[in-house]
Amino acid sequence: MESVLSFRVFPSFPKRLGYRHGFRGRNWHVGSIGGGKRSGKEVDFKQLEVLWDDGFGSVSMKDYLDIAKEMIKPDGGPPRWFSPVECGRPLKGSPLLLFLPGMDGVGLGLIMHHKALGKVFEVQCLHLPVYDRTPFEGLVEIVEHVVREEHASSPNKPIYLVGDSLGGCLALAVAARNPTVDLVLILANPATSLERSQLKPLFPILEAFPDELHNAVPYLLSFVMGEPVKMAMVNVDKKLPPSPMLRQLSENLTALLPRLSVISDLIPKDSLIWKLKLLKSAAAYANSRLHAVKAEVLVLASLKDNMLPSGDEGKRLSSLLKNCKVRTFKENGHTLLLEDGINLLTVIKATGKFRRSKKLDSVTDFVPPSLSEYKFGFDEYTGWLQYCTSPAMFSTLGDGKIVQGLSGVPNEGPVLLVGYHMLMGLELFGLVEGFLREKKIMVRGLAHPAFFASSSSNNNEISLFDYSKVFGALPVTATNLYRLLSTNSHILLYPGGAREALHYKGEAYKLFWPDRQEFVRMAAKFKATIVPFGVVGEDDIAELALDYNDLMKIPVVNDLIRQTADEAGRVRNIDEGEVGNENLFIPGLLPKIPGRVYYLFGKPIETQGKEELLKDKKSAEELYMQIKSEVESNLDYLLKKREDDPYRSIVDRTIYRLLSTPAHDVPSFTP
């Protein structure tokens, strides 16, 4: 194995890509589109701005094929590691991420994700030359060598192994042999299900295919392995009207199809035969050692995978592995990471898999949302709600004047936003989006732990619960509040919690706050600014038809509610009064023709210079009651003033939008 584990400059890598020695002397940094060396100083996580450019959608399958064509020229060298220049300089403290390729072996399977991943990971990709014949055990040793060396130098950091198809088997094998190393495995359609592959009966035919017909095999495989339309949709603007969007898609497909001939160079006939044998040995090796895998595992399974039964395999692995989550993608094919609809960094963040130490730290490990995540989250994910409710935001300046917009809310933290929790938390999306759009401020929301338990299901698509983590949500605990204040964050806190958000009939806009002041002293300790706010509009969106009392009269349903309550646990004790009645349930709602949601952020309350709040319980209680009174006043103000809004009706707003402006710029009442 001596030659296999050596690393040097290989002339087969495209000169236009550039390379340089790096990564503790064991590999080579290879550029990508445009070339150039990696440069610049390490940047701390705190300096990564919200709505940063992650480059998602700027690179496509076409770029993969163009670069792969240059990288596959034979040089007789062994497998090697490279780091794409477009990954840039990772942020300070970033963990190592090793990409393990599929059958193609090029190592460019993350090309659409390089820029995003390169911000928060030290990305290294394994390249397997076309004519390399290293056996599977040899590949395991290559990866294992790097893993052990990294673990020895940084024992408190996790090491990420992203395995695509064949690479998934490789990642599992390395994890099984190194149970004491802190590994996080991201497996995209792992080939551990090869024995149940839809194409298994065709393998003997492919091996016996005449040489003169082999050039047709890659074209057939390209349609089996991936979804061509999803590949071509990567950089299509989804907000275009149907005709221009279809034209853009057609142009992408036209540019992509001629390039598929590169696949015959990636996998010539003798290499195809070898790769099929390699796949068989890889699947057998990994499956025989699943019991030894102790690593954290995330399986990404395509439900339109025409090569492997990936959906079923995800369920099988989640039942066999001790710490395994599965996320499914119903419209994607086998080449998941090269298709539209999946941003790998977003998935890692959404599933709570990104960390820089032995345990996840929801405060310091948080990566602000990128511009593409913002657009997806608020244009495609919750855009319908934004469109229907057209949030109107008002804030209060220091002199007490109410103005439209958020200029009255301080830009510098720590800032504690304390307010009313509307039915089902319908105000959350508009509030977070408004702060990001207008002030480029990430508001960190403290939510009931059951909210995160709902996102821990093992076999589902990326959900709204998952996506909330991308936008800063974390469990409500005293520790999390303390640490957010200590990092000068903007924090969203609802003292009324679940009882307020899941209120009963006749309780709209009623506060259910605990009697004792909970957050005042902690805010004062960090000299935080407290901004009380009110929000109204739930009664313009839906009518509460079935509340907790109604549902508990229905057989079976009442048992499900009790079971949910037992599993979710409680944030508050029952002896804390009405706010302690945290009955978690999904109310029955009757939709209305949508009205509008209104927010009013009150006059900021400074705690700096009020040291008496820390020592005098009575002073803290007085401020607590003042804040509660301010929230109630804000609610009363909005309920009255919304009657003066000429665009409260969705009909009037829709006409206004058609004639002049985006949804968030529709005017409202004059404060």
Side-chain angles (χ1 to χ4, degrees):
M1 294 301 299
E2 182 67 24
S3 62
V4 175
L5 295 178
S6 62
F7 300 89
R8 58 186 177 84
V9 177
F10 294 92
S12 66
F13 283 147
K15 290 182 180 179
R16 75 181 180 92
L17 302 185
Y19 49 76
R20 73 176 176 85
H21 188 269
F23 201 62
R24 300 190 181 94
R26 66 166 175 256
N27 62 359
W28 297 88
H29 292 274
V30 178
S32 71
I33 305 166
K37 295 182 180 181
R38 304 176 81 174
S39 60
K41 297 180 179 180
E42 284 189 328
V43 180
D44 191 272
F45 268 54
K46 295 179 183 177
Q47 298 180 34
L48 186 61
E49 296 181 355
V50 297
L51 307 186
W52 55 283
D53 179 16
D54 63 3
F56 189 72
S58 61
V59 181
S60 67
M61 183 68 170
K62 178 175 68 71
D63 301 296
Y64 165 86
L65 293 171
D66 287 344
I67 299 175
K69 185 176 181 179
E70 298 185 54
M71 288 184 67
I72 60 177
K73 296 174 183 177
D75 63 6
R80 70 217 61 171
W81 297 97
F82 70 92
S83 179
V85 166
E86 70 173 359
C87 285
R89 177 72 64 180
L91 298 174
K92 187 178 181 180
S94 296
L96 172 67
L97 183 149
L98 301 177
F99 175 66
L100 312 178
M103 275 186 66
D104 63 299
V106 180
L108 289 174
L110 294 180
I111 190 169
M112 297 200 317
H113 312 275
H114 283 164
K115 187 172 182 179
L117 293 174
K119 278 288 186 184
V120 295
F121 291 106
E122 176 74 46
V123 179
Q124 303 290 317
C125 306
L126 181 61
H127 174 72
L128 307 177
V130 173
Y131 295 101
D132 178 71
R133 296 296 180 263
T134 304
F136 183 71
E137 291 83 352
L139 297 178
V140 172
E141 291 183 27
I142 290 174
V143 179
E144 186 176 63
H145 173 80
V146 177
V147 165
R148 290 180 176 177
E149 184 178 296
E150 175 68 12
H151 179 64
S153 63
S154 302
N156 295 319
K157 277 188 185 180
I159 301 171
Y160 285 73
L161 302 182
V162 178
D164 182 16
S165 188
L166 168 65
C169 296
L170 187 52
L172 286 166
V174 172
R177 290 167 51 127
N178 297 272
T180 60
V181 177
D182 185 7
L183 295 173
V184 180
L185 275 52
I186 315 291
L187 311 179
N189 299 322
T192 45
S193 62
L194 185 69
E195 285 299 308
R196 291 173 283 117
S197 170
Q198 302 91 307
L199 299 183
K200 188 180 178 184
L202 299 179
F203 289 171
I205 299 175
L206 291 174
E207 293 177 7
F209 228 55
D211 292 343
E212 56 271 19
L213 296 178
H214 178 75
N215 286 341
V217 172
Y219 289 94
L220 298 174
L221 286 178
S222 66
F223 286 93
V224 171
M225 293 178 70
E227 288 285 319
V229 174
K230 295 291 284 186
M231 294 177 184
M233 281 292 291
V234 168
N235 53 2
V236 172
D237 186 353
K238 315 298 190 304
K239 299 180 76 173
L240 288 173
S243 182
M245 187 169 69
L246 287 173
R247 190 183 313 119
Q248 208 174 82
L249 174 61
S250 176
E251 291 172 356
N252 287 355
L253 281 170
T254 302
L256 177 62
L257 293 177
R259 290 174 166 82
L260 294 179
S261 61
V262 174
I263 299 177
S264 63
D265 298 323
L266 286 175
I267 314 176
K269 183 180 178 181
D270 54 346
S271 291
L272 176 62
I273 295 172
W274 166 255
K275 290 290 176 68
L276 290 176
K277 292 178 179 177
L278 187 64
L279 269 176
K280 293 175 185 176
S281 63
Y285 190 103
N287 279 316
S288 66
R289 291 164 174 78
L290 290 178
H291 64 279
V293 175
K294 310 296 182 186
E296 199 174 338
V297 180
L298 174 62
V299 178
L300 310 180
S302 298
L303 300 186
K304 282 191 176 181
D305 189 341
N306 296 318
M307 184 173 178
L308 297 170
S310 295
D312 292 338
E313 183 63 3
K315 295 177 182 177
R316 185 181 79 94
L317 290 176
S318 69
S319 66
L320 294 175
L321 300 174
K322 296 180 179 179
N323 188 5
C324 178
K325 283 186 181 180
V326 178
R327 289 296 178 266
T328 57
F329 300 84
K330 63 181 180 181
E331 298 297 331
N332 292 86
H334 186 69
T335 54
L336 176 64
L337 299 176
L338 291 170
E339 297 178 11
D340 185 44
I342 173 172
N343 182 328
L344 184 56
L345 179 58
T346 303
V347 173
I348 292 172
K349 288 161 48 177
T351 52
K353 294 298 180 185
F354 180 76
R355 54 188 172 88
R356 295 181 292 160
S357 56
K358 289 185 178 295
K359 289 186 178 181
L360 172 65
D361 187 323
S362 298
V363 176
T364 59
D365 287 336
F366 176 68
V367 178
S370 67
L371 184 59
S372 73
E373 289 169 338
Y374 169 83
K375 289 179 177 178
F376 180 82
F378 295 108
D379 288 352
E380 299 185 35
Y381 217 93
T382 62
W384 62 272
L385 184 61
Q386 301 291 92
Y387 183 90
C388 290
T389 61
S390 295
M393 295 195 173
F394 302 86
S395 60
T396 309
L397 302 179
D399 60 4
K401 182 181 179 181
I402 297 175
V403 296
Q404 191 156 10
L406 297 171
S407 57
V409 179
N411 293 325
E412 300 298 324
V415 173
L416 191 59
L417 306 173
V418 183
Y420 171 70
H421 210 352
M422 209 158 67
L423 182 64
M424 294 289 289
L426 291 172
E427 82 284 357
L428 284 166
F429 309 111
L431 189 153
V432 173
E433 191 274 340
F435 272 84
L436 283 170
R437 172 175 41 80
E438 185 174 333
K439 299 177 79 71
K440 285 195 173 182
I441 287 175
M442 184 71 253
V443 175
R444 303 295 307 273
L446 293 165
H448 195 289
F451 189 82
F452 301 93
S454 300
S455 66
S456 63
S457 175
N458 275 340
N459 299 288
N460 59 7
E461 298 177 62
I462 296 293
S463 67
L464 179 62
F465 298 107
D466 285 325
Y467 220 74
S468 68
K469 298 173 189 172
V470 178
F471 288 92
L474 68 169
V476 56
T477 65
T479 301
N480 281 340
L481 176 59
Y482 183 96
R483 302 193 64 229
L484 287 172
L485 288 168
S486 70
T487 54
N488 297 325
S489 302
H490 282 65
I491 307 154
L492 180 60
L493 180 66
Y494 294 107
R499 178 61 181 88
E500 209 164 80
L502 299 174
H503 60 69
Y504 306 161
K505 292 177 182 177
E507 295 179 343
Y509 309 124
K510 180 180 179 181
L511 300 186
F512 291 93
W513 287 22
D515 294 331
R516 67 174 187 270
Q517 52 82 20
E518 300 177 310
F519 55 85
V520 172
R521 288 188 177 185
M522 195 177 294
K525 178 178 177 60
F526 291 97
K527 300 178 175 58
T529 301
I530 300 173
V531 180
F533 73 92
V535 54
V536 303
E538 63 183 65
D539 52 338
D540 271 357
I541 299 174
E543 179 182 348
L544 181 55
L546 295 172
D547 64 10
Y548 176 78
N549 295 323
D550 296 321
L551 293 171
M552 290 303 288
K553 297 174 184 177
I554 304 174
V556 180
V557 174
N558 51 20
D559 290 335
L560 290 174
I561 292 175
R562 292 190 189 98
Q563 181 182 346
T564 301
D566 292 339
E567 293 174 353
R570 290 181 173 274
V571 172
R572 302 185 185 280
N573 298 320
I574 196 69
D575 59 2
E576 292 187 59
E578 187 59 32
V579 72
N581 292 324
E582 295 177 349
N583 300 312
L584 303 182
F585 64 99
I586 300 177
L589 303 178
L590 292 178
K592 293 182 178 181
I593 296 175
R596 197 169 191 179
V597 174
Y598 303 85
Y599 302 78
L600 173 58
F601 295 89
K603 183 179 177 180
I605 300 172
E606 301 285 348
T607 62
Q608 186 169 6
K610 297 182 179 180
E611 288 75 13
E612 69 274 9
L613 294 173
L614 296 173
K615 303 175 183 177
D616 185 3
K617 184 178 179 181
K618 185 177 179 181
S619 296
E621 288 177 349
E622 288 176 354
L623 181 56
Y624 179 73
M625 295 308 296
Q626 178 190 340
I627 295 167
K628 183 179 180 181
S629 178
E630 288 279 349
V631 173
E632 291 173 331
S633 297
N634 291 342
L635 291 172
D636 292 339
Y637 176 89
L638 291 173
L639 288 171
K640 179 181 178 181
K641 292 293 290 184
R642 70 175 178 177
E643 301 296 334
D644 301 332
D645 185 2
Y647 298 103
R648 181 177 174 184
S649 166
I650 191 174
V651 176
D652 295 324
R653 292 198 305 274
T654 301
I655 294 172
Y656 188 90
R657 287 182 192 126
L658 289 173
L659 296 176
S660 57
T661 188
H664 57 261
D665 287 334
V666 176
S668 182
F669 59 79
T670 302

